[in-house]
Amino acid sequence: MREPSELTTSDRASATLRGVDEVVDICRDLLRIDTTNTGDNDTSAGERVAAEYVARQLAEVGIASEIYESAPGRASLVARIEGTDPGRDALLVHGHLDVVPAQPDEWTAHPFGGEIRDGFLWGRGAIDMKDFDAMVLAVVREWRRTGVRPPRDIVLAFTADEEAGGTYGAHFLVEKHRELLDGCTEAIGEVGGFSYTVSKDLRLYLVETAEKGINWLRLHARGRPGHGSMVHDDNAVTALAEAVARVGRHRFPVVVTPTVRAFLEELSDALGIELDPDDPETAIAKLGPIASLIGATVRNTANPTRLDAGYKDNVIPSRASATIDCRTLPGQADLFLEQLREVIGPDLTIEHVQRQPAVETTFDGALVDAMSAALRAEDPGARPVPYMLSGGTDAKAFQRLGIRCFGFAPLRLPPDLNFSALFHGIDERVPVEGLQFGVRVLDRFLRNS
């Protein structure tokens, strides 16, 4: 095999083309592995099978990897690809293997069928985030076959349990196997580098430089139990329902963070509109399908997601509970809890189920330059911009080690695709051409990062 420096331009072009072809098959294989994460170890499935599939894909081209289980079946895989400059810090490239549940009877195509239809690859995880897992595998497999080595070490991490907070995946790796991440100072992962079409000649590519904090709460109301046929003024279900309704309807104050301000300034310039800093939602409303994704980043949010009360139809229970999915802006976590307490009132108790801080970095440096250059090389109309993700990722675990985290899983999307609605929604799918575009961009980026 020739040394990397001996590879010609045509060698590299053909390697990229082979990876572009292969990514669809790899992504389809991954989609057909049901890795549903229910949040319960007894009912979650498939992460070990998916990790073993990844291990085989890497081993086939001579890349060694190890699988680490935090609990039976809760498996993550890590591999390190050596770069040409051992003196440089390493780059972490991470993607999760688990997916949220899907009900097949709600879907147009089976969520674990990996079907190609109308130019899209359909399945649960198609954009969250087995598409990126497949891109990474396609790129590094072709590198190994053609002798390409990156300029610095790249650590690959394919994790379990991201969809339930990462306790059995990324956080487990950080707490129990942090030596695997030695030397990593920067990282890329999901939900960034996707396109938003402004015009025929201009597309904004949103690179995630921040994400909101997670605070999953349970509210508990207590009351006097009794018979359902009697007049009852101390009813836990009533108290809970009233509080949940207040939370669900409440809108927390607008707070524009540095990342969101930078995005809005880029947006107003691209759209040719004037930005009112006191009314950012007017500009955001012009974003169409991704307005809901961006709109959630100008305020803290709290959404009721589950209710639990009672054990018999004619018995008033002594306790009723609700789960609230809360997402907080950087620096707002403590203030948010004070504001939430005012909304729910003094009588309910609050239990913290999952609490992880917001993540934020700046949109600058050599890594950002490499992202921008790779995007522009494949799309001359690309304009990379920073943005904040309204949800959370495994970056919350890796930033605990001081790693600077970005979301960069490049996709060029059709202008009319409601991308944000596909996350955890029905009929999740990724455009085949977008997948192939992502391989080309990722290949360029990783060669020059």
Side-chain angles (χ1 to χ4, degrees):
M1 180 178 292
R2 286 176 289 179
E3 291 299 316
S5 60
E6 296 177 316
L7 291 174
T8 66
T9 301
S10 61
D11 287 331
R12 297 189 179 198
S14 63
T16 302
L17 287 173
R18 286 194 296 271
V20 164
D21 290 338
E22 188 176 50
V23 68
V24 177
D25 290 335
I26 295 174
C27 191
R28 178 189 284 174
D29 288 346
L30 286 169
L31 293 175
R32 288 173 174 171
I33 303 172
D34 181 350
T35 54
T36 296
N37 185 352
T38 64
D40 181 345
N41 283 358
D42 293 333
T43 55
S44 295
E47 290 168 339
R48 176 83 198 196
V49 176
E52 289 173 349
Y53 171 84
V54 172
R56 290 194 301 272
Q57 293 297 306
L58 295 174
E60 193 175 89
V61 294
I63 299 175
S65 64
E66 291 289 339
I67 293 175
Y68 301 87
E69 280 197 343
S70 53
R74 310 309 303 271
S76 299
L77 177 144
V78 179
R80 183 179 287 256
I81 298 174
E82 292 186 357
T84 57
D85 184 353
R88 289 191 59 189
D89 294 327
L91 174 68
L92 172 64
V93 178
H94 62 95
H96 62 85
L97 296 170
D98 62 320
V99 299
V100 296
Q103 295 293 333
D105 59 358
E106 297 178 335
W107 285 55
T108 303
H110 196 284
F112 301 107
E115 181 179 340
I116 295 177
R117 181 189 298 189
D118 302 325
F120 288 82
L121 181 55
W122 297 62
R124 175 60 86 213
I127 52 98
D128 186 14
M129 60 171 301
K130 291 178 178 179
D131 58 336
F132 183 65
D133 296 335
M135 290 179 208
V136 173
L137 287 171
V139 169
V140 299
R141 278 166 60 85
E142 280 309 310
W143 280 5
R144 185 52 60 98
R145 284 193 284 248
T146 54
V148 174
R149 287 176 62 193
R152 58 169 161 170
D153 282 11
I154 292 177
V155 176
L156 307 179
F158 296 86
T159 61
D161 197 39
E162 190 275 347
E163 296 292 3
T167 299
Y168 293 96
H171 285 284
F172 169 75
L173 292 178
V174 166
E175 293 165 7
K176 302 298 183 181
H177 298 283
R178 62 187 305 162
E179 73 282 355
L180 299 171
L181 306 171
D182 282 352
C184 291
T185 56
E186 297 170 309
I188 62 166
E190 63 178 322
V191 204
F194 60 91
S195 67
Y196 167 74
T197 299
V198 176
S199 66
K200 178 181 177 182
D201 301 318
L202 177 61
R203 278 158 296 283
L204 301 183
Y205 281 84
L206 282 62
V207 176
E208 185 208 310
T209 58
E211 58 184 51
K212 295 176 79 174
I214 294 174
N215 202 344
W216 295 339
L217 306 174
R218 286 202 183 98
L219 307 183
H220 301 291
R222 292 187 178 275
R224 189 178 73 255
H227 199 289
S229 67
M230 299 181 183
V231 176
H232 204 93
D233 294 328
D234 187 17
N235 189 318
V237 175
T238 303
L240 180 76
E242 290 173 342
V244 167
R246 290 195 298 271
V247 171
R249 288 192 294 264
H250 186 73
R251 293 296 175 265
F252 292 86
V254 169
V255 178
V256 180
T257 62
T259 293
V260 174
R261 181 172 297 278
F263 172 78
L264 291 173
E265 289 172 352
E266 293 277 6
L267 176 66
S268 62
D269 182 66
L271 296 179
I273 60 176
E274 188 162 341
L275 174 64
D276 180 353
D278 296 323
D279 182 24
E281 290 171 306
T282 296
I284 292 171
K286 299 181 184 296
L287 287 172
I290 65 167
S292 59
L293 179 70
I294 303 301
T297 65
V298 297
R299 62 176 80 239
N300 299 315
T301 58
N303 283 306
T305 57
R306 300 180 72 179
L307 297 170
D308 181 30
Y311 53 88
K312 198 172 186 296
D313 292 347
N314 62 347
V315 175
I316 297 171
S318 62
R319 174 170 165 156
S321 303
T323 302
I324 312 294
D325 184 347
C326 305
R327 307 294 173 128
T328 56
L329 297 168
Q332 291 279 305
D334 292 338
L335 176 61
F336 166 78
L337 287 175
E338 294 176 9
Q339 295 170 336
L340 182 67
R341 171 55 75 184
E342 292 179 2
V343 175
I344 65 173
D347 297 331
L348 275 68
T349 59
I350 298 176
E351 174 191 358
H352 292 274
V353 178
Q354 185 73 248
R355 192 176 188 183
Q356 298 186 40
V359 176
E360 188 165 28
T361 188
T362 52
F363 190 61
D364 56 18
L367 199 72
V368 170
D369 292 343
M371 293 177 195
S372 300
L375 286 167
R376 293 190 182 107
E378 293 298 331
D379 180 2
R383 181 171 175 177
V385 299
Y387 93 107
M388 178 185 293
L389 177 65
S390 60
T393 75
D394 280 338
K396 295 189 187 312
F398 299 125
Q399 64 88 30
R400 293 168 59 190
L401 300 180
I403 297 173
R404 189 181 182 209
C405 296
F406 296 87
F408 189 68
L411 283 174
R412 180 168 174 174
L413 301 170
D416 59 348
L417 180 67
N418 191 346
F419 183 60
S420 60
L422 299 178
F423 286 86
H424 298 188
I426 63 171
D427 289 345
E428 185 179 349
R429 60 198 183 275
V430 64
V432 171
E433 290 184 357
L435 260 182
Q436 296 168 332
F437 171 85
V439 171
R440 294 193 298 269
V441 172
L442 199 61
D443 174 69
R444 286 182 181 273
F445 164 69
L446 292 175
R447 289 175 189 262
N448 295 286
S449 62

